[in-house]
């Protein structure tokens, strides 16, 4: 996700919310003044007609939207539109609609608006912690999660291993194929890392072509098993860079266990030393640094 995409996503959400509020005002003007409703307020439509529904349809694949709070917002929106349609039909048919029904409908709309603005604020905060190219969390979020996992490890006595991963010969990819190809390689690597670690592991964009992986509840032997799976999956995946032939890429990994005798910076330094050894030993390999 690029910076422009994240900004466009939030700007589009803001526009959709504002237009939804404008629809609300138009609906109540029609209901109170008897000016008549729009056809879209009265009919069922297989295609989304209002701006918020269109926005949902266009951005449904965004990782920012795949969360329970957003799904609840979509349901609030759907419920409000259905209520608005049913009440509008009754009013158009000359049927009586009680004040309590209009009040309940207004409460629905208010719930949607409050939830939408709250979620918009949360999206903005989340976007600031995402690496815009790979969709992984960046170093700002990384530090918070690493502090949490180290404290949990010390409290429970369960092991935790930190890993630095570096894409091999990445500069050569940029030099030969261009930075757009390099970006696609980084995106593919992020996807391979995320898909092949365990569900509760954390993958972060550390900077450049480096990634940091946090493996909770994993000693160095368990960590090596996970990392070998990641390494193998990455090496077996080709990247379409727009050239005649896709290219392959590998990565080197250096791992170190957390400890009560070392702070996070020291543990990352140990992982970096192991990564250097992996590079010096031929690349496309996993090295472990013991304390």
């Amino acid at each position: 996700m690029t910076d422009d995409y994240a900004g466009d996503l939030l700007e589009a959400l803001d526009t959709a919310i504002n237009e939804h509020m404008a629809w609300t005002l138009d609906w109540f003007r029609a209901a109170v003044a008897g000016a008549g409703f729009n056809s879209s307020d009265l009919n069922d439509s297989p295609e989304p007609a209002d701006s918020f529904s269109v926005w949902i349809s266009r951005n449904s694949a965004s990782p920012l939207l795949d969360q329970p709070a957003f799904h609840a917002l979509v349901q609030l929106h759907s419920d409000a539109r259905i209520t608005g349609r049913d009440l509008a039909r009754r009013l158009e048919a000359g049927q009586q609609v009680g004040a309590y029904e209009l009040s309940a409908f207004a409460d629905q709309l208010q719930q949607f608006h409050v939830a939408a603005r709250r979620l918009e604020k949360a999206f903005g905060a989340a976007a600031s912690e995402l690496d815009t190219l790979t969709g992984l969390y960046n170093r700002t979020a990384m530090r918070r999660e690493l502090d949490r996992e180290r404290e949990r490890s010390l409290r429970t006595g369960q092991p935790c291993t930190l890993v630095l991963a570096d894409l091999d010969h990445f500069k050569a990819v940029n030099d030969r194929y261009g930075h757009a190809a390099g970006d696609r390689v980084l995106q593919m690597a992020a996807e391979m890392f995320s898909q092949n670690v365990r569900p509760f592991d954390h993958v972060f964009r550390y900077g450049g072509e480096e990634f940091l992986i946090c493996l909770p509840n994993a000693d160095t032997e368990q960590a090596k098993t996970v990392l070998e799976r990641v390494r193998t999956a990455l090496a077996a995946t080709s990247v379409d860079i727009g050239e005649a032939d896709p290219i392959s890429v590998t990565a080197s990994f250096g791992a170190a266990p957390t400890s009560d005798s070392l702070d996070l910076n020291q543990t990352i330094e140990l992982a970096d030393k192991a990564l250097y050894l992996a590079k010096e030993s031929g690349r496309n390999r996993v090295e472990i640094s013991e304390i």
Side-chain angles (χ1 to χ4, degrees), residues 267-282:
T267 303
I268 293 173
E269 287 177 8
L270 282 180
D272 192 41
K273 290 179 180 178
L275 173 62
Y276 180 79
L277 179 60
K279 292 283 190 182
E280 289 294 299
S281 302

Side-chain angles (χ1 to χ4, degrees), residues 1-18 51-52 54-67 70 73 116-117 119-128 130 132:
M1 181 168 50
T2 63
D3 289 324
D4 288 343
Y5 176 74
D8 290 347
L9 188 69
L10 293 170
E11 183 179 354
L13 176 57
D14 181 66
T15 299
I17 294 170
N18 288 334
S51 59
F52 188 75
V54 171
W55 182 83
I56 293 169
S57 178
R58 289 177 178 173
N59 296 284
S60 59
S62 169
L64 285 176
L65 307 185
D66 188 17
Q67 54 179 292
F70 180 74
L73 180 68
R117 287 304 185 193
L119 198 58
E120 183 183 30
K121 184 177 181 180
F123 283 168
S128 70
L130 288 177
T132 56

Side-chain angles (χ1 to χ4, degrees), residues 25-287:
L25 293 175
D26 289 342
W27 191 99
F28 275 95
R29 288 192 187 101
V32 173
F37 293 94
N38 295 324
S39 60
S40 60
D41 294 331
L42 300 169
N43 301 322
D44 296 319
S45 173
E47 297 296 329
D50 64 287
S51 59
F52 188 75
S53 294
V54 171
W55 182 83
I56 293 169
S57 178
R58 289 177 178 173
N59 296 284
S60 59
S62 169
L64 285 176
L65 307 185
D66 188 17
Q67 54 179 292
F70 180 74
H71 298 312
L73 180 68
V74 171
Q75 189 62 54
L76 282 173
H77 173 262
S78 176
D79 290 345
R81 297 293 294 198
I82 291 172
T83 300
R85 182 200 63 201
D86 292 344
L87 292 178
R89 285 175 175 175
R90 289 170 56 190
L91 289 168
E92 283 287 302
Q95 298 176 13
Q96 186 69 29
V97 174
Y100 72 94
E101 292 180 283
L102 291 175
S103 178
F105 179 44
D107 287 342
Q108 275 188 305
L109 295 168
Q110 184 180 28
Q111 288 176 29
F112 167 82
H113 183 73
V114 170
R117 287 304 185 193
R118 185 182 297 125
L119 198 58
E120 183 183 30
K121 184 177 181 180
F123 283 168
S128 70
E129 293 191 343
L130 288 177
D131 173 63
T132 56
L133 176 64
T134 64
L136 298 175
Y137 281 111
N138 59 26
R139 291 180 72 159
T140 301
M142 180 194 78
R143 190 70 194 196
R144 182 186 64 246
E145 293 300 323
L146 294 188
D147 283 335
R148 182 181 302 163
E149 291 297 349
R150 181 176 182 273
E151 290 173 6
R152 180 184 301 168
S153 175
L154 295 179
R155 184 177 67 253
T156 63
Q158 294 296 317
C160 181
T161 300
L162 302 186
V163 183
L164 281 179
D166 185 87
L167 300 185
D168 298 325
H169 304 296
F170 182 73
K171 183 178 183 300
V173 173
N174 278 335
D175 290 345
R176 181 174 180 180
Y177 301 107
H179 289 281
D183 286 349
R184 285 193 286 274
V185 168
L186 288 169
Q187 290 166 338
M188 182 277 294
E191 183 177 357
M192 288 296 101
F193 290 162
S194 299
Q195 288 180 355
N196 289 281
V197 296
R198 302 165 303 174
F200 48 86
D201 295 331
H202 311 284
V203 183
F204 306 94
R205 176 86 183 278
Y206 194 65
E209 65 270 28
E210 280 194 312
F211 300 82
L212 188 143
I213 304 172
C214 177
L215 303 173
N217 302 324
D219 60 23
T220 52
E221 283 302 313
Q222 293 167 319
K224 188 165 186 177
T225 299
V226 174
L227 296 175
E228 285 293 345
R229 181 171 68 242
V230 174
R231 183 191 65 78
T232 302
L234 178 66
T237 303
S238 297
V239 189
D240 183 0
I241 57 169
E243 299 288 324
D245 298 313
I247 63 172
S248 298
V249 65
T250 61
S252 301
F253 301 82
T258 60
S259 166
D260 58 359
S261 63
L262 299 175
D263 62 26
L264 284 174
N265 289 335
Q266 291 170 319
T267 303
I268 293 173
E269 287 177 8
L270 282 180
D272 192 41
K273 290 179 180 178
L275 173 62
Y276 180 79
L277 179 60
K279 292 283 190 182
E280 289 294 299
S281 302
R283 296 183 171 84
N284 188 25
R285 59 187 294 121
V286 177
E287 292 289 344

